Amino acid sequence: MCLNEHFKEMKIYGLEKYEIREIELKTIHSESVFDIKILTNYFQDLDILRPLNPKERRLFIRQKSRENLKILLKDYPREKYTLIGTKIKPRGILGQLTGKQILKLQNNSAVDQIIIEKAGELKELKPQKEEQYFSVQGLFAIKVEGFDYTNSIRFTEERIILVKALDSDTAIQKANIEFKKYSDVEYLNSDFRLTRWDFIEIMDVYEVDETEIDPNGTEIFSVTRNRKLK
C-alpha cells in the first residue's frame, strides 16, 4: 500500500462530537491537547493466511501486530502512552497529542484509525438519537368459528414486520398496534366460517441498526442456533 492510499483510508473519529473539523487540527486546534486512542492495522489478507494452519495464522498475525506497534511508536512524538492489548498481541495505544501531531500520524503506515476520546476542556455534544429500523416477530394462532381450541394443537403463523423507532420498547409499542389490527380482521374461510388470527405474543425484536433500507439488500432479521443438517 502506498503512502497516498493509506492517507485516504486512515480516519480520525470523534471530532464531530466537539464540532471540530479535521482541517482545524492544523489551525485553531493545532496546539490543543487531545486524549486519543490509536488502533493499528489488523492483518487479514486471506490470500496469505489461507495456506497456514490456525496456529500459524495466530502467530503470524501477532507478529504483524508487534511490527505495526514498532512502526507506530517510531513516529509517536511522546514517551508516555498506554498499550492497548498486550506486548504479545498489541492493538494500539492510548495517549495525548496536539492537533498537529495527530495529523502527522496520518502518514504512518501502521495506523488504522485515530479516535478522539476527549478534546481538552471542550464539552462533548449530546448527539440527537435518530430513528432506526427494528424487525419484530409476532406469533398468531388461527381461530375458526365453532371450534374449541382448549388444550389442542393450533395452526399458527409467525409474522415479521419492520418498524422505525428510537428504541426497542417503542418498536414493540408500534408492533403491538399493527398486530392487534391484524388480529381484529375477520373473514370467511372455505367452509363459510368466521375466521381470524389471534395475536399470541411478540417472540423477538431484532435491531437492524439501519436508518435507511438498501434496496439491494438489508438484513432485517437473524437467528443463530445449532442444528443438524442433512
Side-chain angles (χ1 to χ4, degrees):
M1 180 183 293
C2 73
L3 209 58
N4 288 335
E5 287 175 339
H6 181 80
F7 183 86
K8 292 177 183 177
E9 292 179 1
M10 207 286 291
K11 295 182 179 179
I12 301 174
Y13 295 94
L15 289 172
E16 68 284 351
K17 296 186 298 185
Y18 304 94
E19 289 190 319
I20 297 174
R21 294 177 299 160
E22 189 172 314
I23 193 173
E24 292 175 337
L25 292 179
K26 62 180 179 182
T27 55
I28 60 176
H29 292 291
S30 64
E31 299 300 326
S32 301
V33 178
F34 297 85
D35 290 12
I36 49 94
K37 176 193 292 183
I38 302 176
L39 299 179
T40 53
N41 295 313
Y42 185 78
F43 190 88
Q44 40 192 338
D45 188 333
L46 295 184
D47 289 337
I48 293 176
L49 296 174
R50 190 174 286 111
L52 307 178
N53 63 43
K55 182 178 179 180
E56 291 171 335
R57 290 171 190 155
R58 181 175 68 250
L59 294 174
F60 185 86
I61 290 172
R62 287 181 178 180
Q63 177 61 33
K64 287 293 184 182
S65 296
R66 292 192 292 270
E67 290 174 3
N68 280 332
L69 179 63
K70 288 181 181 179
I71 294 171
L72 165 59
L73 293 180
K74 186 178 178 181
D75 287 345
Y76 191 73
R78 301 195 178 197
E79 292 185 8
K80 190 176 179 181
Y81 63 86
T82 301
L83 183 66
I84 300 174
T86 65
K87 290 182 178 179
I88 295 176
K89 45 181 181 179
R91 281 296 289 123
I93 61 173
L94 297 170
Q96 288 186 325
L97 292 177
T98 63
K100 64 181 180 182
Q101 287 172 334
I102 291 173
L103 290 178
K104 283 184 180 179
L105 280 180
Q106 283 187 318
N107 293 330
N108 188 288
S109 62
V111 176
D112 177 46
Q113 53 185 267
I114 297 177
I115 302 166
I116 306 298
E117 301 280 277
K118 188 179 178 183
E121 299 301 319
L122 293 178
K123 291 185 178 179
E124 183 177 334
L125 300 175
K126 291 184 178 180
Q128 284 190 331
K129 199 167 183 181
E130 190 174 359
E131 284 191 333
Q132 59 182 323
Y133 283 103
F134 293 81
S135 51
V136 186
Q137 183 182 26
L139 177 65
F140 296 79
I142 200 161
K143 186 174 184 180
V144 181
E145 180 185 20
F147 286 86
D148 181 10
Y149 293 101
T150 306
N151 299 322
S152 65
I153 295 176
R154 298 180 67 180
F155 185 60
T156 63
E157 176 189 13
E158 294 178 17
R159 295 185 69 222
I160 297 175
I161 65 171
L162 202 61
V163 299
K164 207 169 188 181
L166 289 174
D167 51 51
S168 59
D169 288 340
T170 308
I172 289 172
Q173 291 173 13
K174 289 187 174 183
N176 273 321
I177 294 172
E178 168 56 29
F179 288 155
K180 187 177 184 305
K181 287 181 181 177
Y182 184 74
S183 66
D184 285 342
V185 175
E186 284 190 313
Y187 61 93
L188 294 178
N189 67 7
S190 58
D191 292 329
F192 303 99
R193 294 176 181 269
L194 287 172
T195 305
R196 67 184 180 86
W197 288 93
D198 272 347
F199 174 43
I200 306 301
E201 63 178 346
I202 287 179
M203 300 177 66
D204 205 352
V205 180
Y206 181 74
E207 187 174 339
V208 178
D209 200 26
E210 296 287 347
T211 57
E212 300 295 335
I213 297 299
D214 185 348
N216 294 317
T218 298
E219 180 182 85
I220 63 167
F221 209 85
S222 175
V223 177
T224 57
R225 59 171 62 99
N226 291 319
R227 66 177 72 186
K228 186 175 181 180
L229 301 178
K230 294 182 179 179

